[in-house]
Structures are given as structure tokens and as C-alpha cells.
């Protein structure tokens, strides 16, 4: 009996050890599952943040150290309208535009061109530059980024005159040819575009060095042309701009964001002036 009790005690000890080991294995497995779930959740959040900005920036309306070294300057800080004013005005419009959640927004007003808040322009003028922003269109929206804009008097009917990077919902039935998204409005049609859906941000980029101009959309060049070339002047002559002498050939000008009566949101608005002769 003594030996048998000994065996029973040993068996009990083994059972206890096995029970502890099983519990440890269960806790370890649960911990791994928790870590994996946490990792997946974290990864999903990271993906969502990445989707928020076509530039890949985790912070909106800021410049990276690399961008600062390259000479980029923010034209919108996400909080104020400093650096902008109404076209043909001394101050920023009192209505029609708003700053909300880090976005500069056109307020929807029925689709009229420059009829509510009106267009806004940079206080400064630029000649050789690289300009970019992110924009989010609403369904059916129309807007635009104009550059080499000059305020001429008497004021022209509608918007101020300048070359235009077209911002528009391409699904509109009245949109085709040179009126489409990222085109040079009225002059050159954007080709080979990759467009994010309405309600998501897209990135527009304009490069102007001398007479050479490029339009980019979401990291892809979609238009390239030369201001003042024979082709350019022929296209101008056949467009609505034919009455404007030397249209699009100013050596410098303002950058304009258009109020066309539809809600459009802008962010990460920035510019880098290019030194004369700098290669792209």
C-alpha cells in the first residue's frame, strides 16, 4: 500500500503539472490571437489613414522635412484663409467659402459661376512653379484651378481669365473633350487618367517652367503643352478665349480656385517656385 500510495502521489503531481502546462498553452494561444487581432486592427487603421491622402502623408496641411528642403510652401494651413483674397477684391469673400475640419470648401449655391462667394486667388503671383493640392468633388460638381491669372479691367463677365486645370465630375452628361477632369479647359484634353471615385480625394499637380506646362493627376502626367507655340495659339484662336490678346502667355500670374456653385473641398495646397533653368 505504501508503494501504491507513492504511485498515486506521483500520478497526482503529473496531472497537476499537465494541467498547469495546458493552462499556459491556452493563455499563450489566446495572447497570440489577441496580438494578431490587434495587429490586424492596427493595420486596417493604417490603411484607412493612407487612403485619406493620395500623397501618403499622415499629417494633412503640413510639409515634410524633405519638402521644406525642396522649397515647398503651404498655401493653406487648414485653419485660416491667409494668403488668399477674392478676385478683384482686397479681402477674402465673406460668404461662399468656409474652412472646416482642415478643409477649404466651396459652399454649394446652385451651380452659378462666381455668383455666390466668387473665385479666390493667391495674394502672390508666380512665374516658374510646381503647384499641387488634393481635391474632393461632390456628385455633378464643377470647379477649376486657374494659373497665370491676371486681373484685367473692366472685369470680364464671370470668372477671371487664366489657363485652367479643369476640376469636374466626368460623369456629367455635358462633359466631354477638353472639358473633362484634369484637361486644360477649352484647349487640351487629359489622357490616360486614373481617377478616384466621387467623394474621395484626388491629387492635382501643375508644373510650369517657362512656356512648358504639365498637368498631373494622382501621380500620372495627363497633359503636356507649350504656351505660345503655334499649336497653342491655333487652339486659343478656336476657343472662347480668342478675344483675349496673348491669352495664357503672361510671364507671371495668380493661382485661382473657382467657385462654380458646387461643393468642392481642398487640402494640402502648396507651391514650390522653380529657379530659372532648373530641370524637371
Amino acid at each position: 500500500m505504501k508503494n501504491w500510495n507513492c504511485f498515486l502521489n506521483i500520478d497526482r503531481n503529473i496531472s497537476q503539472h499537465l494541467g498547469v502546462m495546458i493552462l499556459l498553452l491556452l493563455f499563450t494561444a489566446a495572447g497570440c490571437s489577441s496580438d494578431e487581432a490587434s495587429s490586424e486592427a492596427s493595420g486596417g487603421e493604417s490603411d484607412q489613414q493612407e487612403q485619406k491622402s493620395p500623397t501618403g502623408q499622415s499629417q494633412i496641411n503640413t510639409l515634410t522635412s524633405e519638402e521644406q528642403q525642396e522649397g515647398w510652401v503651404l498655401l493653406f494651413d487648414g485653419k485660416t484663409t491667409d494668403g488668399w483674397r477674392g478676385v478683384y477684391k482686397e479681402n477674402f469673400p465673406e460668404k461662399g467659402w468656409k474652412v472646416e475640419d482642415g478643409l477649404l470648401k466651396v459652399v454649394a449655391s446652385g451651380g452659378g459661376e462666381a455668383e455666390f462667394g466668387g473665385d479666390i486667388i493667391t495674394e502672390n503671383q508666380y512665374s516658374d512653379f510646381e503647384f499641387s493640392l488634393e481635391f474632393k468633388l461632390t456628385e455633378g460638381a464643377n470647379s477649376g484651378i486657374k494659373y497665370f491669372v491676371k486681373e484685367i479691367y473692366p472685369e470680364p463677365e464671370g470668372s477671371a481669365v487664366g489657363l485652367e486645370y479643369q476640376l469636374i465630375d466626368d460623369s456629367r452628361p455635358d462633359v466631354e473633350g477638353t472639358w473633362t477632369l484634369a484637361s486644360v479647359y477649352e484647349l487640351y484634353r487629359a489622357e490616360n487618367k486614373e481617377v478616384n471615385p466621387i467623394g474621395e480625394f484626388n491629387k492635382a499637380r501643375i508644373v510650369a517652367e517657362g512656356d512648358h506646362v504639365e498637368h498631373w493627376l494622382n501621380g500620372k502626367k495627363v497633359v503636356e503643352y507649350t504656351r505660345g507655340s503655334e499649336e497653342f495659339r491655333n487652339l486659343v484662336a478656336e476657343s472662347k478665349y480668342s478675344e483675349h490678346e496673348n491669352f495664357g502667355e503672361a510671364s507671371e500670374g495668380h493661382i485661382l480656385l473657382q467657385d462654380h456653385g458646387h461643393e468642392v473641398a481642398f487640402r494640402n495646397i502648396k507651391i514650390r517656385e522653380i529657379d530659372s533653368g532648373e530641370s524637371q
Side-chain angles (χ1 to χ4, degrees), residues 204-260:
R205 177 169 165 251
I206 302 167
V207 180
E209 183 176 8
D211 292 327
H212 180 80
V213 181
E214 299 172 0
H215 283 193
W216 293 68
L217 178 64
N218 294 328
K220 191 172 185 178
K221 183 163 63 176
V222 294
V223 172
E224 185 173 11
Y225 69 99
T226 302
R227 299 188 300 142
S229 66
E230 182 178 358
E231 177 189 53
F232 177 85
R233 289 176 177 172
N234 287 338
L235 290 172
V236 170
E238 297 170 359
S239 75
K240 62 185 284 186
Y241 300 121
S242 58
E243 63 187 59
H244 297 285
E245 186 177 359
N246 299 321
F247 171 79
E249 298 185 44
S251 59
E252 66 174 7
H254 301 277
I255 292 174
L256 176 151
L257 299 182
Q258 190 176 40
D259 164 24
H260 213 300

Side-chain angles (χ1 to χ4, degrees), residues 4 12 30-31 35 42 63 104 131 146 156 189-190 194 241 279:
W4 182 250
R12 289 193 191 97
D35 289 342
S42 175
L63 297 174
L104 179 60
F131 172 87
K146 292 188 178 182
R189 177 175 180 167
E194 294 182 4
Y241 300 121
S279 61

Side-chain angles (χ1 to χ4, degrees), residues 88-134:
Y88 297 108
K89 296 177 178 148
E90 294 183 0
N91 301 311
F92 195 85
E94 295 181 357
K95 61 181 182 179
W97 293 81
K98 63 180 178 180
V99 176
E100 182 178 72
D101 299 327
L103 304 177
L104 179 60
K105 290 184 175 181
V106 185
V107 177
S109 59
E113 182 177 357
E115 289 182 357
F116 192 47
D119 301 336
I120 60 173
I121 60 174
T122 55
E123 293 179 349
N124 295 330
Q125 298 189 56
Y126 303 93
S127 52
D128 296 340
F129 62 87
E130 181 178 359
F131 172 87
S132 75
L133 57 68
E134 293 172 27

